[in-house]
Amino acid sequence: MRVEIWSDIACPWCYVGKARFEKALAAFPHRDQVEVVHRSFELDPGRAKDDIQPVITMLTKKYGMSEAQAQAGEDNLGAQAAAEGLAYRTRGRDHGSTFDMHRLLHLAKDHGRQGELIQLLYEANFADERSLFEDTERLVEIATGAGLDAAEVRTVLADPTAYADEVRADEREAAQLGANGVPFFVLDRKYGVSGAQPAEVFGQALTQAWGERSPLRLIDDGGDVCGPDGCPVPQP
């Protein structure tokens, strides 16, 4: 079974939702037969690479809330994260474009390191004191920590077209599936789960999707096949 997760590194509920989903997956009896694929979704796709500002400032401008309201929201998110065993800095974080991070996640997918990279990016954004947005070498450091080659990472970051089509394709597909927010979980292209639901909800979704997988329907018309013992030879 395949689970696809549309998310953004700048999304705190994606950070929390990932932890809750993984808690459910760890308890799922068929977890070894579940493939998890992370898909791209930018909350702020038009943001310039050099447009970096404090999270509180971004929240007040984008949502028209006061600084006190924005800070209260961050404090609540910090408590939600802590309940899942996650570190979360409620003060001093910044916000910027995540486009390069999504491009690197597609590179990581090619090397089978996507899960490792997205977790390190989340931790760097929400828990570390160093900014994730101000220094390209910070991304190189994180990507190599996930097992990627530094030279290849730098090559991708230096070419803004590298994996750009893959990021945009993911975002178009999210729109086609009706996802206008993240996190958004799609199970075997049959079930969608929106938001950072409790682990119990994810567990129920996994169980239901697994139970309703379509078994292979074999159409056997006696056609010739090749097997371990060789291939049948047509007789004259």
Side-chain angles (χ1 to χ4, degrees):
M1 184 167 69
R2 169 180 281 200
V3 177
E4 297 163 278
I5 307 174
W6 272 264
S7 59
D8 192 10
I9 301 304
C11 165
W13 286 118
C14 296
Y15 180 46
V16 173
K18 178 176 181 290
R20 291 175 177 172
F21 170 76
E22 288 177 347
K23 184 181 295 184
L25 183 60
F28 185 56
H30 309 287
R31 59 186 175 275
D32 293 339
Q33 299 177 63
V34 176
E35 176 192 11
V36 178
V37 178
H38 295 279
R39 301 291 191 190
S40 298
F41 189 108
E42 295 171 276
L43 292 174
D44 203 352
R47 196 177 195 90
K49 187 174 180 178
D50 59 356
D51 185 3
I52 303 166
Q53 61 185 172
V55 166
I56 297 301
T57 301
M58 180 274 294
L59 292 172
T60 58
K61 290 182 177 180
K62 187 171 184 178
Y63 300 107
M65 59 178 65
S66 68
E67 287 192 9
Q69 290 172 321
Q71 189 58 66
E74 280 293 284
D75 291 340
N76 176 58
L77 282 163
Q80 296 280 345
E84 304 302 329
L86 301 172
Y88 190 103
R89 293 179 64 232
T90 60
R91 303 289 192 279
R93 289 196 305 110
D94 60 3
H95 177 80
S97 171
T98 57
F99 184 57
D100 283 349
M101 300 172 203
H102 285 293
R103 295 195 299 118
L104 289 181
L105 283 167
H106 279 279
L107 169 66
K109 182 175 182 291
D110 284 349
H111 293 283
R113 309 300 295 177
Q114 195 181 42
E116 290 82 357
L117 179 58
I118 197 168
Q119 184 61 34
L120 289 179
L121 288 170
Y122 276 137
E123 291 172 359
N125 185 45
F126 292 107
D128 291 356
E129 291 188 9
R130 291 177 59 190
S131 173
L132 188 57
F133 302 97
E134 293 181 349
D135 184 4
T136 297
E137 281 303 303
R138 177 70 170 133
L139 292 181
V140 175
E141 176 187 321
I142 292 168
T144 54
L148 299 181
D149 177 73
E152 188 174 14
V153 171
R154 290 191 179 96
T155 297
V156 169
L157 290 175
D159 178 6
T161 67
Y163 293 101
D165 289 345
E166 287 83 348
V167 174
R168 299 308 181 207
D170 277 358
E171 293 172 338
R172 286 194 300 271
E173 194 166 16
Q176 292 166 1
L177 290 170
N180 53 17
V182 285
F184 189 69
F185 302 77
V186 176
L187 289 74
D188 259 1
R189 290 299 171 110
K190 289 184 178 180
Y191 296 95
V193 179
S194 179
Q197 300 287 346
E200 294 77 13
V201 173
F202 286 122
Q204 292 167 7
L206 286 167
T207 299
Q208 185 170 354
W210 182 267
E212 295 185 15
R213 289 176 306 142
S214 298
L216 180 68
R217 297 181 63 184
L218 179 63
I219 299 175
D220 186 357
D221 61 356
D224 293 326
V225 298
C226 294
D229 297 326
C231 302
V233 178
Q235 299 300 314

